[in-house]
Every structure is written in structure tokens, then in C-alpha cells.
Amino acid sequence: MADLFDLKESGYFYTRLQNPTNDSVASKIAALEGGVACILTSSGQAANFYAIFNICEAGDHFVSASTIYGGTYNLFGVTMKKLGIEVTFVDADADEEEISKAFRPNTKALFGETITNPGVTVLDLEKFARVAHKHGVPFIVDNTFPTPINCRPFDFGADIVTHSTTKYMDGHAAQVGGAIVDSGNFDWDAHADKFPGLTAPDPSYHGLVYSKSFGKGAYITKATVQVMRDLGSIPSPQNSFLLNLGLETLHLRVQRHCENAQKVAEYLSVHPEVAWVDYSGLSTDKYHSLAQRQFRNGQSCGVLAFGIKGGRERSIKFMDNLKLISIVTHVADARSCVLHPASHTHRQLSDEQLIAAGVRPDLIRLSVGIEDIDDILNDIDQAMKSL
Ligand SMILES: *Cc1c(COP(=O)(O)O)cnc(C)c1O
């Protein structure tokens, strides 16, 4: 027992620190992403918080794309600020020079989302990786929407990947969970002055140095034995069991989600009531060529965004008219669902912040499920007809 507490032996002695069910699911996600280690958390929020907090403390700073999930935007801009950790939001489409201007001597990470929720814009992973590495910090990317089935960010230079496993990985709204995967590629010792938490002795483990004792496993080990130990956002093993069931069909579901979403996007793109459609699978989409380069078969995910002509009011009427597709907060689920971010998830943001987060006031987020495509299209069709 003493050796376990000193991290000299690895073994199971308390679930908050390690649990065999959680570990077996974590190792599958690490394998899917092509990483060296993974820690599961009780939610995607906890995953993104831990991913940053593991290398940032009061007085530190990090840079993030502004087009990110509303909950993450709030976590970074409001809550982490209270802990003394500052963020600068940048336009993800800006060039490398422009993004570089946001870096300071105390900057410790660069963050983005592979495909943004809810705007479904696509992040240029290689560009972000280059900027991060030029400044000697890791590039952390939330890969929830494409999942490793469609994109493996480590292949494009990302160092750390996070997930809300609540979404496609689970796929059935059966549990809430998160994951952090480390590629093992970032050289903490080469930037030792920036990352003393990983490269200097930890007084809470008799002066152990993570980068020396655990090598490529340093980042996830620290997140486990220090951040998880003290903050405790561990998933219940029962939730990890449920997540595991979802993972077993992930490759089939993602394929079907993408096929259905492509057909819905094509249908909407020529519909007379539709003002605009954002889906990188459309050859006219701004991110189409980037998606072709970064995603397996160019497939992004099952989520798309669009607006109805006549603006906000008619967009809301359209959603109210839907019968099969329900209005829910959740996204990336087997069942098709819609949400109007400006009046739901992002209602705390000002119009200016909405635009910065890539959310137009009339934006409808449509998460296309795995139902029969004719049922989905018929529902959209009848909802359009009764506008
Ligand atoms: C939902 C979501 C989160 C937050 O995850 P929870 O499991 O709800 O805490 C983070 N990032 C993205 C991209 C999401 O869609």
C-alpha cells in the first residue's frame, strides 16, 4: 500500500485514482486516437478544464480559438479567470502571424475544436500546431464532433486531444463523460521553465518529477494523481461501462450519421426556404477542401448548421413544426435533434460574442441521427411546408 501511495507500484486501491473499468475504456479511447495514455473524466467540461489546469496555474495565460462550445467559452473566459488563469480568444481563421500576436511570455497552451459546436466550422489543425510549437506550448484540441473515426488530430500535429464522450462516443444519451488523450509527443523538458508542474519536484509526492519518472506518460499521470486526486471529477465505472457499449458501434454509427447528414445538407442547400447551410461535406462549403485533407473520406460529422429565410422567428417556427426531430440541448445522438443556440445554449452571450463564437442569430443546429433517411427528410419537408 505504501508503494502504491508513493507511485512506485501501479495498481488499484481507490477508484478516484484508478479503476479497472474506467482504465479499460480509457485505453480503448487512447488506441482509437493513437495516443499513449488517456484519463476519463465525469464530463466533457471536466476534461477541458483538467486539460488546461494540468499545465496552467494562477498567473498563467493560454490562447483559444473563439469558435468553441458555449460551455467551454464560459469556462475559459469567466470561471478560469477567477482562478487567475487568463485566456485570449483568437479568430481560428486568422493567419499564423495574427494568432501569434496573442501569445505572451506566460502563455502555456493553444486550444481549439476540430469541428466547432454549434457553428460546424473546421479548424486547420496543422496551422494551429505550427503556431503552438513555434511558441513552445502544446496544442490541445477538442475532437468531440469528428471522433477519431473521422479525424485523428495527432496525425496533424496536435499534442493533446479532449472529448465530451457524452456525444457520439456514447451515442445514446446514456451517460455524461469526458476524456483527455495524450500523444506523448510534447517535450516538456525542452520547455522546462514553462512547465514546472511536470518538470520540477512535486512536494505532494516526496519530490517526484513527472517527466523523469513517467516519460511520455507524464501529462496523464499528473492529471490522474494530482488534479483528479484533488478535484475528483471521476466518472462512475457504471457510466464507463455504458460508454464502452457506445464505443463498440461508434464506427458504424458515425458512418451512417455522415451519410444521412450529407443527404440532408444537399436537400437543404437547394431548398427555396433555406438562406444558408454550413456543412463541410458540401462542395461549395468554405471548409470543404480542408475537410477533404483532414477527415477520413472527407467526412466530418452528423451535425450541420443552417438558417431559414426570414430570420430568427421563422427558424423557431420551423423547429416547432418538426415531429420526428426533437428540440433538445443534447447533440450528436442516434436520434435526430435540433437546437437554436441563440435562444438556448448561448443565451448568456451578447450579439457580439455570438458572432465571435460563430453563431448567427438565425442559426439552427441540426444533429442528424441514424434513422431512415426518408423519415428524416419527410419530417424536414413537412416542417418547411407549414412555415
Ligand atoms: C458537449 C460538449 C462539451 C461539454 O461536454 P459535457 O459532456 O456536456 O460536459 C465540450 N465540447 C464540445 C465540443 C461539446 O459538444
Side-chain angles (χ1 to χ4, degrees):
M1 185 58 94
D3 282 346
L4 288 169
F5 271 102
D6 283 347
L7 306 182
K8 284 180 187 149
E9 290 268 349
S10 75
Y12 298 110
F13 60 113
Y14 200 72
T15 283
R16 174 155 41 77
L17 291 161
Q18 264 188 323
N19 171 279
T21 307
N22 289 352
D23 274 2
S24 93
V25 179
S27 64
K28 286 187 188 181
I29 295 174
L32 280 168
E33 285 288 5
V36 294
C38 170
I39 179 174
L40 298 187
T41 57
S42 57
S43 67
Q45 283 299 111
N48 282 327
F49 175 54
Y50 282 28
I52 298 287
F53 194 64
N54 200 30
I55 48 172
C56 284
E57 57 185 46
D60 285 345
H61 169 260
F62 66 104
V63 178
S64 172
S66 60
T67 40
I68 49 171
Y69 174 68
T72 313
Y73 192 89
N74 206 62
L75 165 69
F76 288 176
V78 179
T79 300
M80 294 197 71
K81 200 171 170 185
K82 294 180 191 166
L83 298 173
I85 299 166
E86 270 198 80
V87 67
T88 301
F89 290 113
V90 295
D91 176 358
D93 287 333
D95 62 25
E96 290 177 39
E97 222 167 283
E98 196 58 37
I99 297 169
S100 282
K101 285 185 192 150
F103 282 73
R104 307 175 188 170
N106 62 340
T107 301
K108 302 294 167 76
L110 177 61
F111 182 94
E113 272 174 26
T114 318
I115 300 174
T116 63
N117 177 7
V120 296
T121 59
V122 181
L123 188 70
D124 186 335
L125 298 173
E126 288 174 319
K127 177 180 77 180
F128 261 54
R130 273 195 304 272
V131 176
H133 297 156
K134 195 173 93 187
H135 295 276
V137 304
F139 168 34
I140 305 175
V141 64
D142 181 331
N143 197 38
T144 298
F145 269 18
T147 82
I149 302 299
N150 284 342
C151 180
R152 304 219 301 181
F154 297 153
D155 295 343
F156 300 92
D159 300 289
I160 290 149
V161 159
T162 62
H163 281 280
S164 165
T165 62
T166 317
K167 314 294 166 52
Y168 287 119
M169 281 197 174
D170 171 305
H172 308 77
Q175 58 90 50
V176 174
I180 310 170
V181 189
D182 184 12
S183 65
N185 292 337
F186 193 80
D187 188 348
W188 307 104
D189 285 319
H191 309 281
D193 53 324
K194 273 198 202 317
F195 304 103
L198 283 154
T199 59
D202 179 354
S204 70
Y205 284 107
H206 308 307
L208 173 134
V209 176
Y210 294 100
S211 65
K212 296 276 177 295
S213 295
F214 302 104
K216 284 182 181 297
Y219 176 88
I220 294 294
T221 302
K222 177 176 180 289
T224 305
V225 304
Q226 195 188 73
V227 186
M228 186 62 83
R229 177 197 63 186
D230 294 352
L231 299 180
S233 316
I234 196 78
S236 85
Q238 180 67 17
N239 274 3
S240 299
F241 165 80
L242 293 168
L243 170 58
N244 185 58
L245 295 180
L247 287 174
E248 291 184 355
T249 58
L250 183 65
H251 58 301
L252 295 174
R253 287 183 290 105
V254 165
Q255 182 62 30
R256 175 69 169 247
H257 278 292
C258 294
E259 285 164 15
N260 280 355
Q262 182 68 29
K263 286 178 186 146
V264 171
E266 283 166 12
Y267 168 90
L268 291 173
S269 68
V270 293
H271 199 287
E273 292 284 2
V274 173
W276 56 272
V277 187
D278 283 347
Y279 187 67
S280 61
L282 294 173
S283 58
T284 50
D285 193 84
K286 183 178 170 191
Y287 298 102
H288 185 70
S289 60
L290 181 58
Q292 294 297 314
R293 198 164 79 231
Q294 282 183 175
F295 303 149
R296 184 197 300 253
N297 302 326
Q299 286 182 335
S300 58
C301 64
V303 184
L304 53 87
F306 72 103
I308 303 263
K309 280 182 190 158
R312 209 177 164 125
E313 295 313 310
R314 293 189 89 227
S315 294
I316 291 172
K317 178 133 195 287
F318 164 78
M319 292 190 293
D320 286 341
N321 289 346
L322 291 166
K323 291 180 176 141
L324 170 79
I325 303 170
S326 19
I327 301 175
V328 298
T329 313
H330 188 45
V331 66
D333 186 76
R335 293 146 291 196
S336 294
C337 55
V338 278
L339 185 83
H340 184 234
S343 48
H344 303 145
T345 45
H346 287 60
R347 58 183 301 126
Q348 78 281 10
L349 300 190
S350 68
D351 275 7
E352 219 171 53
Q353 288 172 318
L354 273 179
I355 302 292
V359 182
R360 299 184 231 184
D362 64 343
L363 184 149
I364 296 173
R365 182 186 72 188
L366 174 54
S367 175
V368 182
I370 59 174
E371 302 93 338
D372 189 296
I373 185 63
D374 291 336
D375 290 341
I376 299 170
L377 290 175
N378 285 340
D379 193 32
I380 296 172
D381 194 53
Q382 66 77 25
M384 291 286 190
K385 285 194 174 118
S386 17
L387 269 176

